[in-house]
Each structure stands twice: as structure tokens, then as C-alpha cells.
């Protein structure tokens, strides 16, 4: 029996992660985007126990040996998405607790339209809720403005939202990680529906995003990260899909900062990249090589800007440094 549920309304990034978490954990028929929220049609309310078991197993390993899973495509990917290493242990502790306290067998009763109000989520000091760290929703920092003054109160969510956002980060997100002596950055991108996406396209998006974070020795801009992900990788969608790519970035040097989020229509980007690959089959290797040097990333960013902002792809070919 098909049933429908709704993501809670924590902002586009968090709701997109929760949506991908639901797609991974349940048998989803269709997802419809409603502004910053999603209506999700389930074929079954039964969760995949293997997804939850694997996550719990890796958490057990982490709490016995914190470095043992640093290269894992599960918890290691969460670690790489977190540019603020000081909250790592708290993040993992929250995740273990949220998984233990959440009943995933009844998503219909959890994700009603009024879930956020019922669970009293938002700016809160409730110890029964979990802090939504910046990589899971860049706007929900520790401080906010109220009545002309800045107050300290974290944005908190229930165990289901926290768990599913993390599952969506693992299985529905491409993560780029860069570390230097003075700075760490994490750039995340995920594929979401412009209007609707069916099960086949949702699974294609998650297949593309699976695997560990991409660690580079250079710091790519968000647009360059999109070009790298789809230029080096391969993904395709059915003819009636209208996918978007959502990208956001977190930086940590002296302070923790976000660069905001951006949305791009994906079909046009994929068509341009396909044309370039047809004309220049070594394009994926070129992108990979450009990403290895600071000088190369300048060219990569320029290429990305042209492709993402509607330029003719054959104008891009004229910028390619064939010596790379």
C-alpha cells in the first residue's frame, strides 16, 4: 500500500539530506519537491535493516578506535564533510544516540506536515533533541538574532531527522575535502528533483554519489567541484527527469564559515559535458590533472563558470590547455 510522507521544513539542504536518507532507507516510488520541502511516496514503510546495522557497526568501531574508519565510505564520509574537527566526537555520539532512540518502523506517523511543530524542533536547548551541525544545514549555526540582539541557541532536531540527514549525507551526497596547515574546507553537492523524480532516477543519483569523499590537495570552488564531479564521473537520468544539483561549502580556519548554497539545472550541464567529451575524449583526465595544482584550479573554475552559466561548450574547448 502506497503512503505519502513529508520532510519537516528545516531548509533546503537539511530536507534534501533527509529526503535522500528516506530514499536509501525505504522503498520510495516518487519524490516531489515542494519549495524547500519534499512529498515522498513510499511503496513500503519497512526500513532496510542492513543500512541501519552497518551504520551502528561502524559507530561501534569508531568508539573503540576513532581512526579505524577514517577512510570509510560511511562514517569516514561524515568526518570529511565536517570541517570543524572539534565537534566530531559530539556528532558521532549524537548519531549513535539518535539511532538507538528512533523507531524507523513507522515513518508515516513521524513525517506528517506538522512534524517540526510537534517535535518542537528549531532554536532550542532541549536535551532530547540533537544539534544540527553546519555541514548538515549551513544556516543553522549557534548564534541567531532575536529582538535586535544576538542570542546563543543551537538549531536542534529530533532523532529521526538527525539520523536520516546523516544517512542522506552518506548515500546521497558527493563530498570534497581539502586540508592545509591553516584551513579545512568541505564542499558538498547532491542531486535533487526540480519538480518530481521517480525511483529509477533517485537510485541513479545515489549510485553516482556513493563512495568515500574526494580528497584533493587543492581547494576547488563549488562550481569547479560540480564540473569535477560530473566531468570525471558518469551519470545519466531518464528522459522525463528534471534534476538539479545543490551545492554548499563549509570552511574552517580561525572561524567556521559557510559560503551559502547554489542550485543549478543539471540536464544542461550534462549535455554540455557530453558534447565536450565527444570532441575531446581526454576531458575527464584533463579535469583531474587541472585539480592537482593551484594554477590548474583557476582554469578549472573558469571552465566551470562557462559551462554552468550557459556558454557554448565549444567556447570552453578553446580555453583547454592541451599541454596538461
Amino acid at each position: 500500500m502506497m503512503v505519502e510522507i513529508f520532510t519537516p521544513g528545516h531548509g533546503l539542504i537539511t530536507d534534501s539530506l533527509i529526503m535522500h536518507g528516506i530514499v536509501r532507507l525505504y522503498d520510495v516510488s516518487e519524490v516531489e519537491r515542494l519549495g524547500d520541502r519534499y512529498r515522498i511516496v513510499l511503496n513500503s514503510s519497512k526500513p532496510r535493516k542492513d543500512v541501519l546495522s552497518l551504520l551502528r557497526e561502524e559507530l561501534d568501531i569508531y568508539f573503540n578506535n576513532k581512526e579505524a574508519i577514517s577512510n570509510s565510505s560511511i562514517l569516514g564520509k561524515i568526518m570529511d564533510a565536517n570541517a570543524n574537527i572539534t565537534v566530531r566526537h559530539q556528532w558521532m555520539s549524537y548519531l549513535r544516540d539518535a539511532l538507538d532512540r528512533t523507531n524507523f518502523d513507522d515513518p508515516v506517523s513521524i513525517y506528517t506536515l506538522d512534524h517540526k511543530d510537534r517535535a518542537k524542533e528549531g532554536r532550542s536547548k532541549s536535551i532530547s533533541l540533537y544539534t544540527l551541525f553546519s555541514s548538515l544545514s549551513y544556516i543553522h549555526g549557534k548564534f541567531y538574532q532575536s529582538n535586535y540582539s544576538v542570542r546563543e541557541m543551537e538549531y536542534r532536531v529530533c532523532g529521526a531527522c538527525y539520523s536520516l540527514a546523516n544517512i542522506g549525507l552518506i548515500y546521497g551526497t558527493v563530498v570534497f575535502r581539502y586540508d592545509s596547515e591553516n584551513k579545512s574546507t568541505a564542499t558538498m553537492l547532491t542531486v535533487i528533483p526540480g519538480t518530481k523524480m521517480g525511483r529509477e532516477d533517485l537510485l541513479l543519483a545515489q549510485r553516482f554519489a556513493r563512495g568515500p569523499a574526494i580528497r584533493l590537495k587543492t581547494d576547488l570552488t563549488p562550481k569547479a567541484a560540480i564540473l569535477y564531479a560530473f566531468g570525471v564521473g558518469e551519470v545519466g537520468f531518464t528522459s522525463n527527469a528534471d534534476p538539479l544539483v545543490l551545492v554548499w561549502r563549509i570552511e574552517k580556519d580561525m572561524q567556521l564559515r559557510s559560503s551559502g548554497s547554489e542550485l543549478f539545472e543539471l540536464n544542461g550541464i550534462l549535455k554540455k559535458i557530453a558534447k565536450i567529451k565527444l570532441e575531446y575524449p581526454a576531458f575527464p583526465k584533463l579535469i583531474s590533472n587541472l585539480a592537482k595544482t593551484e594554477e590548474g584550479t583557476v582554469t578549472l573554475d573558469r571552465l566551470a563558470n562557462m559551462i554552468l552559466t550557459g556558454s557554448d561548450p565549444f567556447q570552453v574547448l578553446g580555453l583547454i590547455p592541451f599541454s596538461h
Side-chain angles (χ1 to χ4, degrees):
M1 177 181 174
M2 288 189 177
V3 294
E4 66 177 25
I5 59 177
F6 298 86
T7 60
H10 295 311
L12 183 58
I13 289 175
T14 307
D15 275 43
S16 297
L17 294 175
I18 290 172
M19 176 271 290
H20 272 295
I22 291 169
V23 169
R24 182 64 180 181
L25 197 58
Y26 299 96
D27 182 1
V28 170
S29 171
E30 178 185 82
V31 171
E32 179 183 11
R33 184 175 165 219
L34 306 172
D36 287 353
R37 301 179 70 177
Y38 297 92
R39 180 184 71 90
I40 301 173
V41 179
L42 303 180
N43 292 318
S44 169
S45 299
K46 185 177 180 180
R48 288 184 54 180
K49 300 296 185 183
D50 60 322
V51 174
L52 297 173
S53 296
L54 179 58
L55 195 47
R56 289 187 175 108
E57 286 173 12
E58 289 220 354
L59 283 164
D60 288 341
I61 295 171
Y62 168 81
F63 283 103
N64 285 321
N65 181 354
K66 293 180 175 55
E67 300 304 320
I69 46 81
S70 59
N71 294 319
S72 157
S73 63
I74 310 299
L75 286 193
K77 194 170 185 179
I78 293 178
M79 290 180 181
D80 283 333
N82 171 30
N84 184 11
I85 194 171
T86 62
V87 301
R88 175 189 291 180
H89 190 72
Q90 186 180 22
W91 187 321
M92 298 300 172
S93 297
Y94 280 173
L95 183 54
R96 180 169 65 175
D97 191 65
L99 288 169
D100 288 344
R101 292 173 55 189
T102 301
N103 178 11
F104 294 98
D105 292 327
D106 191 9
V108 178
S109 67
I110 297 174
Y111 283 120
T112 56
L113 277 169
D114 62 346
H115 166 81
K116 182 178 174 182
D117 291 334
R118 286 191 299 106
K120 295 181 170 54
E121 297 172 310
R123 297 291 176 180
S124 172
K125 292 186 177 181
S126 171
I127 59 173
S128 64
L129 300 175
Y130 303 90
T131 299
L132 205 55
F133 296 110
S134 297
S135 299
L136 300 174
S137 184
Y138 74 94
I139 62 171
H140 300 315
K142 189 173 183 180
F143 300 96
Y144 77 109
Q145 188 167 328
S146 175
N147 298 326
Y148 306 102
S149 64
V150 176
R151 300 179 62 190
E152 180 179 339
M153 193 177 294
E154 294 165 336
Y155 194 98
R156 293 176 175 259
V157 297
C158 73
C161 287
Y162 189 81
S163 299
L164 288 167
N166 276 278
I167 293 171
L169 180 66
I170 294 165
Y171 293 104
T173 308
V174 178
V175 176
F176 288 83
R177 178 62 182 242
Y178 166 76
D179 291 294
S180 69
E181 185 177 345
N182 300 315
K183 184 174 77 168
S184 294
T185 66
T187 302
M188 283 71 65
L189 61 92
T190 187
V191 175
I192 64 173
T195 51
K196 291 182 180 181
M197 287 181 79
R199 176 174 177 79
E200 181 179 352
D201 287 314
L202 292 163
L203 295 180
L204 285 170
Q206 292 202 347
R207 187 177 303 159
F208 172 75
R210 70 186 177 188
I214 300 169
R215 282 187 158 269
L216 299 174
K217 295 182 180 180
T218 54
D219 190 13
L220 300 188
T221 65
K223 288 180 181 177
I226 291 174
L227 178 55
Y228 186 104
F230 294 102
V232 174
E234 294 285 346
V235 65
F237 298 98
T238 60
S239 59
N240 60 345
D242 63 339
L244 304 175
V245 57
L246 171 65
V247 60
W248 67 104
R249 169 186 168 101
I250 305 296
E251 299 180 14
K252 178 70 165 65
D253 43 29
M254 297 298 291
Q255 298 179 5
L256 186 67
R257 296 187 304 273
S258 73
S259 62
S261 65
E262 294 181 274
L263 267 177
F264 297 93
E265 189 274 326
L266 188 53
N267 277 337
I269 295 170
L270 295 178
K271 287 177 182 177
K272 289 173 186 174
I273 291 174
K275 280 187 177 182
I276 295 173
K277 287 180 177 179
L278 186 63
E279 182 76 16
Y280 185 57
F283 190 60
K285 184 178 179 181
L286 171 75
I287 292 174
S288 182
N289 287 338
L290 287 174
K292 293 177 181 178
T293 67
E294 295 296 335
E295 180 185 2
T297 61
V298 174
T299 301
L300 191 61
D301 187 54
R302 196 172 170 201
L303 288 169
N305 270 294
M306 294 186 72
I307 291 174
L308 270 60
T309 55
S311 297
D312 184 336
F314 290 97
Q315 293 182 28
V316 178
L317 287 174
L319 290 175
I320 292 176
F322 286 90
S323 60
H324 279 271

